[in-house]
Structure formats: structure tokens, C-alpha cells
Amino acid sequence: MDAIPQQMPGATAPATDDATSDILPREFKRNLAHISRQALVFFAGTLFTMAAGYLVKIYVARVLGAELLGLYALGMTLVSLTQLLGTLGLHSTAARYVAVYNATAKFDELRSFLTRSIGIVALLNLIFSFGLVFGGRFVARVLYHAPGLQKFIPLFALLAFLGAINVFYAQVLGGFKDVAKRTVITNFVGSPLVAALTVILLALRTGMWGYLAAQIITAMVLVILLVAAARKLTPRAARFARQAMPPMDPEIKAFAAASFGMGVLDFVVCQADKIMLGLYLKPSLVGIYVLASTLSAFIPIVLQSVNQIFAPVIADLHAQSRLDVLQKLFQTLTKWVVVLTLPLASVMIVFAGPLMRIFGPEFEIGWTVLMVGAVGQIVNCATGSVGYLLLMSGNQRRLIRVQFAMAGISIALNVLLIPAYGIVGAAMAAACVNVAGNVWNLWEVRRALHISPYNRSYSALILPTAGMLTGIFLFRHFLNSFAHAWLGLGLALIGSYVLFGALTVWFGLDSEDRLMARGAWVQFRSGMQKLGVSVS
């Protein structure tokens, strides 16, 4: 891993006491600076995408309605299945082995892996996309009882093919540890483009055809940009050439097979609720459920930002047997994920009803789904990067065991709860699987790596959390006084972060936390200065 500078050009080095310098290993500070810098860029991109996507979702929900949104959600289950079968776990494998081969200068092996992998992914996804065109109509008509979905199947097939290529090359960029460039492409280019195209095409009354066309055009643009970025990052000796390549390492094949197995199990866990809803309920209820669960899926954006760059760092540190550094990173990053997630999750839970009502009166019944999903995501964030710790440290069998059990539990709970409780039952099943799976993964991390994300510093978050929740509940009584509900919700979210942040800075930060905060602030200030904005 390249050395990461401890301060940005033109910035004044923050003062640190000698005790902190002695306690924190240089390797820890170097990795923490790298992770915080890259994760901040990814977080900014994700936040930008979330804000833009939220506004577009309101527009789409009001224009298409719950029925068409439900058909779209059912179609995306077919897209996800096609991509799963077409990638064979090679996209997850790229995140690890691109990093390993590049770090060890094994460029022939890297060239072999990239060339063979993209060939396999492109060919398989082409085959399975054609299969979706011919078989998807049967699924739509017979299994989902949604004949209106049949005419859109060819567009979903094209979206599946392009999406698989994008997913693979996005992981390649992650393997090269350039999450910032990937974020610029997917978030700052892709998100505005798909939002603009969606609004324009829906305004032209193209309906679902326009909504899917906007995503297909954006996917085409992203393919071009991601491929170009990956080629630029690839060392010249590792680029495609018409010469003999070494065979693919059996370890890669085993890892890809394990990743594929985990992908199958993850598909069952993540898509079982939508598939079961499609079998039992009408598409409009599926649309309401998917919208509410999509909102709750925004909650772990900080965790996702950290995971994107922490994953290859885990592989590096584990290969070097630096579990002491990995332990410190795990604790510090997990605590920051919790700190930056609690206000968002709390506002979503307390204001679930008004939040769903913004999308239209027919969506308000999904408020319970949003609340239940938010609780499950809080546990997900509180356990940190446990799944990536198992996967990137070579303990994927433990992860597979957990996911296999959760897949079975997910199916059982959905079959049991959906007929009785409808979309709320699906939300309960998903939340139970989320909580149980993450807690089990945490236990496996402690057994395999002997590390834990928790220490005594977490107790300092009790008072800030209590103060924030009190403020949110008090604000809840004044929401009806706002002419526009979205304005009141925005103020509640900002106020919760300000209050929680102030109390946390006062009571809840230790030396590692302050080190990360200073690094993030330096990066933020540098970015603002590049935009011509002076930040003191």
C-alpha cells in the first residue's frame, strides 16, 4: 500500500500529544487516514446520490404509482438473479485479488485474472440475458401473476447485462483502492444523469418505458467510463496482450466459488421478501413495501462508505498478520459508523408516517415497514464490517455457514409471516434475518480473528443518544405547524445531527476518534478550498 500523507498541502499539522503518538502505531494512523479520506469521498457521493434519488423517487412514485413500482420491483428480482448467475462470484473476487496481485507486483497473474474474468462475465451474462427474454414472460405471468410485467422483460434483460459489467469493473476499481474515482463516476456522473433522464422521459409521458430507458442509457455511459478508468489504473504489464497467460490460480477459483455461493444465499436473503410478496400479494402492495424498504436501506450509507475501502485494507493487514492494527481500525471505524448513523435512523423511525406520506397518500400504509426496517439497519451498522472481515481474511466458509442458515430462516419466516401480516410480516422477517445474521457474523469474527469492535468508549454515547432522542420527540409535536412536511423533516434531521454531534464531541470522543475527525476535517477543508470556498 502506498504511503498516505499525514496532512494535505497547505494545511497546518494538528497538534497531537506524545502519549497518543506512542499509543497509536504508525500503521494504524496511516491506514486510518487512507480509509477516512477515501470513505469521505464515497460518503459524499452516496449522500449526493441519496438526496437526488430521494427527490426523484418522490416524482417517480407520484407519476407511476404503486402498481407500476411493484412491477418494476418484481422485474428487478429477475435482473438480480440474472446478474448473480452471470458473474459467478468473479466481481467479489476482483476486489480481493486485484488488490493482492497489484500490491505484490504479480502483473502476469493480474493480466490473466482480468482478461479471463471479463470474458467469462460478458459471455455468461449475454447468455443468461437471452434466457431472461424467453423465460421471464413465463415467470411474470404464471408465478408473479403480473401479466403487465411481460412487455418490459426485454428492457430488464438489457439492464441486467449492462449492470453486470458495471458491477465487475466497479469492484476492479475497488481492488485498485481508487474508490474516489469510482464514486465520481457512479455517483456524481451516473446519479445526476439517470435523475435528469428519468424526469425528462416521465414528463414526456413515457411511463415505465421511459423509466427503464433512463436507467439503460445511464448504464451504457457508466460502462464506458468504468472500463476507461480501470484500464488507466491497470499497470501496463497487466493489460490485455496477445501472449501466453498463466493459468488462473486454483485459490481464485475456490474464492470465486465461495463468493458465488454467498451470492446465491445473499440473493435468497435479500430478494425472498419481494419474491414471496409477488407470489402472495398484488403488485401495488409490493411497490409500497419496496419503497419503504428502500428508504430504510439508506440508513447504512456510512457503513457502506467505510466498507468500500476497508475491505482491501483488511486483506492487506491480515496478509501481514497485523491483527493489532486491524483491531484498532475495526473499533474506531465501527464507533464512527454508529455515531453518524443514529440520528438518521432515529428520525426515520420517529417520523416514519410523514416521511412515507410525502410519496403520496397510497404509500402511507408503509410506515410500519419503514420503522421495522430501520431497527434492523441500526443493528447492521452497530456490528460494523463483520461480513467483510470474514470474507477478506479467508474465513469465507464461516460467512457461508451464516448466510446459508439465514437463507433458510428468511424463507421460513416469509412463508410464515407474509400470509398473516402482509407487507409488515415481510418487514419483520427481513429485520430478524438482518439482526440475527450480523450478530452471528460478529461472533464468528471474534472466534476466527479474536477481535471485537467494542470498548468502554461506547458508554460515552449514552448521554448524547438520550439527548438527541428527547429533542426529536419534542420536535415531533411541531411538525404539523409546517406548511410542507419535507421542510419539517429536513430541519428535524439537521437538528438531530447538530445536537447529537455537539454532545458526542463534548462527551464521547477518545484519542482515536479525534484523530479520525481531524483527518476527515482536513480532507473536507481541502475539498472546499479546491472549489474556491474558504473554510476556517
Side-chain angles (χ1 to χ4, degrees):
M1 184 183 299
D2 295 335
I4 304 299
Q6 294 302 307
Q7 68 181 90
M8 300 298 295
T12 302
T16 58
D17 54 73
D18 294 336
T20 300
S21 299
D22 292 336
I23 293 173
L24 297 178
R26 182 178 303 176
E27 188 73 9
F28 167 76
K29 292 191 285 186
R30 181 168 69 89
N31 279 285
L32 187 61
H34 177 57
I35 293 171
S36 61
R37 183 177 65 182
Q38 293 280 326
L40 183 63
V41 176
F42 186 86
F43 174 73
T46 307
L47 194 61
F48 175 79
T49 303
M50 184 185 73
Y54 180 74
L55 295 176
V56 173
K57 283 183 182 298
I58 294 175
Y59 179 70
V60 171
R62 290 183 174 273
V63 172
L64 295 184
E67 180 80 15
L68 286 178
L69 279 184
L71 293 179
Y72 173 78
L74 295 176
M76 290 305 294
T77 63
L78 302 179
V79 170
S80 298
L81 179 60
T82 302
Q83 291 179 349
L84 170 66
L85 298 176
T87 53
L88 288 180
L90 289 171
H91 60 298
S92 299
T93 308
R96 180 177 183 181
Y97 284 94
V98 168
V100 171
Y101 286 151
N102 190 50
T104 56
K106 295 182 178 180
F107 296 135
D108 282 342
E109 287 82 356
L110 179 57
R111 178 169 60 88
S112 174
F113 172 76
L114 290 175
T115 303
R116 296 176 192 274
S117 295
I118 190 56
I120 293 172
V121 169
L123 179 60
L124 284 180
N125 274 279
L126 188 62
I127 294 173
F128 285 116
S129 293
F130 275 111
L132 176 57
V133 171
F134 294 106
R137 293 184 174 90
F138 171 81
V139 175
R141 184 180 66 257
V142 178
L143 297 182
Y144 283 155
H145 310 292
L149 178 61
Q150 297 180 72
K151 56 188 176 183
F152 302 114
I153 291 296
L155 294 182
F156 281 114
L158 180 56
L159 190 61
F161 175 79
L162 294 171
I165 304 298
N166 282 332
V167 167
F168 178 79
Y169 274 103
Q171 292 298 324
V172 170
L173 292 185
F176 283 121
K177 300 178 184 176
D178 200 340
V179 177
K181 184 172 295 184
R182 184 180 71 185
T183 301
V184 170
I185 294 173
T186 58
N187 294 76
F188 290 109
V189 175
S191 296
L193 179 59
V194 72
L197 289 174
T198 297
V199 171
I200 292 172
L201 292 175
L202 289 185
L204 294 175
R205 301 181 183 279
T206 55
M208 177 75 88
W209 295 100
Y211 188 41
L212 290 173
Q215 296 178 54
I216 290 172
I217 294 171
T218 302
M220 291 178 178
V221 173
L222 293 183
V223 165
I224 296 172
L225 296 177
L226 287 171
V227 170
R231 176 176 173 77
K232 186 175 181 180
L233 289 171
T234 304
R236 187 171 299 275
R239 294 178 183 176
F240 173 76
R242 294 183 178 179
Q243 61 188 59
M245 295 182 295
M248 192 174 288
D249 193 324
E251 183 182 345
I252 290 180
K253 297 178 182 179
F255 189 89
S259 297
F260 176 71
M262 289 185 292
V264 172
L265 297 174
D266 187 61
F267 174 83
V268 174
V269 171
C270 296
Q271 302 293 339
D273 51 355
K274 304 176 189 65
I275 294 173
M276 293 293 180
L277 286 171
L279 297 178
Y280 286 109
L281 304 178
K282 55 185 180 180
S284 59
L285 288 175
V286 179
I288 294 171
Y289 172 83
V290 169
L291 181 61
S293 58
T294 300
L295 286 178
S296 65
F298 284 147
I299 292 174
I301 60 171
V302 179
L303 177 62
Q304 294 164 6
S305 303
V306 169
N307 284 342
Q308 296 305 309
I309 188 60
F310 190 30
V313 172
I314 294 170
D316 280 356
L317 292 176
H318 185 265
Q320 300 171 36
S321 299
R322 295 305 308 272
L323 293 184
D324 54 338
V325 178
L326 192 57
Q327 161 86 356
K328 282 184 173 293
L329 286 172
F330 188 26
Q331 289 182 344
T332 303
L333 293 173
T334 303
K335 184 178 179 181
W336 272 95
V337 167
V338 172
V339 168
L340 294 175
T341 297
L342 274 177
L344 175 61
S346 300
V347 169
M348 280 196 175
I349 291 174
V350 175
F351 295 94
L355 185 58
M356 290 298 298
R357 193 162 54 243
I358 292 177
F359 294 91
E362 64 179 328
F363 291 97
E364 188 175 0
I365 62 173
W367 68 271
T368 310
V369 174
L370 178 56
M371 287 184 63
V372 174
V375 172
Q377 293 295 354
I378 290 176
V379 177
N380 177 24
C381 295
T383 54
S385 308
V386 285
Y388 279 96
L389 279 163
L390 292 174
L391 179 63
M392 305 306 287
S393 64
N395 288 285
Q396 59 268 20
R397 290 185 179 180
R398 294 175 182 267
L399 185 59
I400 291 176
R401 184 166 59 241
V402 175
Q403 290 187 318
F404 184 81
M406 290 302 106
I409 293 173
S410 176
I411 294 174
L413 288 177
N414 277 289
V415 171
L416 179 66
L417 296 176
I418 289 177
Y421 302 104
I423 58 176
V424 177
M428 293 167 61
C432 288
V433 170
N434 200 353
V435 172
N438 278 287
V439 172
W440 191 350
N441 281 333
L442 178 63
W443 184 65
E444 292 289 353
V445 166
R446 297 191 67 171
R447 288 185 61 196
L449 302 177
H450 307 290
I451 62 176
S452 169
Y454 309 119
N455 53 41
R456 294 181 179 180
S457 67
Y458 278 79
S459 62
L461 297 179
I462 296 176
L463 183 58
T465 302
M468 175 198 63
L469 290 175
T470 301
I472 291 176
F473 278 109
L474 290 176
F475 190 85
R476 180 71 173 82
H477 294 288
F478 298 99
L479 183 63
N480 293 332
S481 62
F482 289 90
H484 301 286
W486 61 266
L487 179 59
L489 291 172
L491 290 176
L493 183 61
I494 294 172
S496 66
Y497 269 103
V498 171
L499 179 59
F500 188 67
L503 292 174
T504 301
V505 169
W506 187 262
F507 295 104
L509 298 185
D510 57 20
S511 57
E512 287 91 347
D513 299 325
R514 296 183 188 278
L515 176 66
M516 186 171 182
R518 283 194 294 266
W521 173 250
V522 169
Q523 178 67 17
F524 173 76
R525 184 172 59 183
S526 175
M528 291 295 99
Q529 289 174 347
K530 291 179 181 179
L531 296 175
V533 179
S534 178
V535 180
S536 58

